[in-house]
Amino acid sequence: MTILLWGLVRDQPMAAVRTQLERLGAPVRFLDQRQVLETTVQVDGGRTSRTVVTVAGRAFDLDRVQAAYVRPHDSTQLPGLRTRPPGSVEWRHAAEVDQVLNAWTDRTGAYVLNRPEAAAGNASKPFQLRAIAGAGFAVPPTLVTNDPDRVADFLREHGDVIVKSASGVRSRVRRVRPGDRFADVAACPTQFQRRVPGTDVRVHVVGAEVFAVEVDSDADDYRYARVLGHRDPVLTSIELPPEVTLRCFDLAKRLGLPVAGIDLRRTPDGEWYCFEVNPSPGFTYYESQTGQPIAAAVAGLLAAAALCKEHPR
């Protein structure tokens, strides 16, 4: 039995899951992206395909993997590579290694948290919103446009409006302010939503477990509270209403994400809105503040899945 970890050794969620797997005594193979220039991947076709990854001269057959936790970064943006031109041998090598390993994680019979194909839905917030609504959550009125006139109409209709990226690229969520240049949206389709008053709740779904955290913050985006001059958020573990828990499980299933970070807001009148779903959540921030055993749950899910693959009934 082998569990593959692919990412960066200093990535906090990756490090936390690795530690928990080691505590379980699970056999772990760590594929460190810092060694991408020393890494090659060979795929043998035919009736039975075989994929072998070699790092610094040491070969490993990926067909031995029963479960995998993957949090890859863009290898071409790692130190020593981000300044290389795309046409350079090193840049192309790093990009090709990423491409082949991502393809492997999508097609392998191993249990993967989470497959890139499923995580790709995060690249489009409007796509996610359809799944969110389908799971029974309220969704705020939303506009995605590159038309400044439509933005002006939306603001007149809803008044208090939030602006954010429509893609999976991380951005600061903030309110639209007087003096904002709406003409700028002509260069980039942007997402606007009616602001929903209430309390933020972050939910982590890990297989059949759910961990919910209430976030007390006066910032529009509590992730950047200190940077924006607000007090630090206060995080508290909470129990979700049973129907909200079921919606979270349903949403993660709809998106094909065994592990998911779901951003909710509970309004003063008890309505639950959902804004988006993170397919590769940085759960260690919430775990460190609340003591919730999220990394242990991820490790347990990997170990159980690997054991089932190794000894099927």
Side-chain angles (χ1 to χ4, degrees):
M1 183 177 80
T2 301
I3 298 172
L4 179 73
L5 304 180
W6 177 36
L8 293 173
V9 69
R10 291 186 179 180
D11 177 70
Q12 291 185 3
M14 178 63 71
V17 171
R18 186 181 186 183
T19 297
Q20 293 297 328
L21 285 169
E22 290 172 350
R23 287 178 180 173
L24 291 174
V28 173
R29 183 75 179 220
F30 184 68
L31 194 56
D32 189 351
Q33 285 188 278
R34 295 175 306 169
Q35 295 180 281
V36 66
L37 293 182
E38 302 173 77
T39 302
T40 60
V41 187
Q42 181 179 348
V43 180
D44 294 330
R47 268 196 247 172
T48 56
S49 137
R50 182 167 175 262
T51 304
V52 177
V53 61
T54 303
V55 182
R58 297 181 60 189
F60 176 70
D61 190 341
L62 290 182
D63 293 333
R64 294 170 52 191
V65 172
Q66 281 79 40
Y69 179 57
V70 296
R71 277 179 59 88
H73 297 247
D74 182 350
S75 292
T76 65
Q77 296 305 304
L78 295 177
L81 280 166
R82 65 168 64 103
T83 58
R84 302 289 179 94
S88 68
V89 172
E90 296 86 356
W91 193 98
R92 290 174 57 190
H93 176 85
E96 288 170 3
V97 169
D98 281 3
Q99 183 179 29
V100 175
L101 288 175
N102 272 306
W104 176 84
T105 58
D106 266 334
R107 69 171 178 77
T108 179
Y111 185 76
V112 180
L113 305 177
N114 285 313
R115 294 188 190 272
E117 184 177 40
N122 187 51
S124 171
K125 294 299 189 292
F127 170 82
Q128 274 197 351
L129 288 176
R130 295 183 64 182
I132 288 168
F137 284 109
V139 174
T142 301
L143 171 70
V144 178
T145 186
N146 62 350
D147 184 343
D149 292 335
R150 293 194 66 187
V151 177
D153 292 340
F154 191 79
L155 288 172
R156 280 192 292 269
E157 181 179 358
H158 297 289
D160 198 2
V161 171
I162 289 289
V163 59
K164 62 175 71 172
S165 167
S167 73
V169 177
R170 186 168 184 169
S171 64
R172 292 184 186 178
V173 178
R174 66 170 179 84
R175 299 188 201 192
V176 173
R177 299 185 291 254
D180 279 345
R181 290 173 48 85
F182 301 134
D184 290 346
V185 304
C188 179
T190 306
Q191 179 168 289
F192 299 85
Q193 290 182 322
R194 188 191 73 199
R195 181 179 176 273
V196 176
T199 302
D200 286 313
V201 175
R202 177 61 178 259
V203 177
H204 290 98
V205 172
V206 182
E209 297 185 77
V210 64
F211 304 91
V213 175
E214 182 176 286
V215 182
D216 179 9
S217 176
D218 58 355
D220 288 329
D221 190 335
Y222 65 83
R223 299 171 302 173
Y224 300 98
R226 181 178 294 186
V227 174
L228 298 173
H230 296 269
R231 61 178 173 82
D232 287 340
V234 177
L235 277 59
T236 307
S237 299
I238 63 169
E239 292 289 333
L240 293 174
E243 66 275 12
V244 177
T245 297
L246 290 175
R247 287 180 210 163
C248 289
F249 283 134
D250 181 31
L251 178 55
K253 183 178 180 180
R254 285 170 182 265
L255 294 172
L257 301 172
V259 173
I262 302 175
D263 292 323
L264 305 180
R265 181 165 290 177
R266 185 186 63 242
T267 67
D269 61 1
E271 191 170 12
W272 289 83
Y273 279 79
C274 180
F275 300 120
E276 61 182 80
V277 183
N278 189 324
S280 187
F283 58 80
T284 46
Y285 168 70
Y286 305 89
E287 184 174 72
S288 66
Q289 298 293 315
T290 65
Q292 292 179 331
I294 304 173
V298 174
L301 186 59
L302 288 165
L307 192 60
C308 288
K309 291 281 187 181
E310 180 73 5
H311 302 289
R313 290 186 178 182

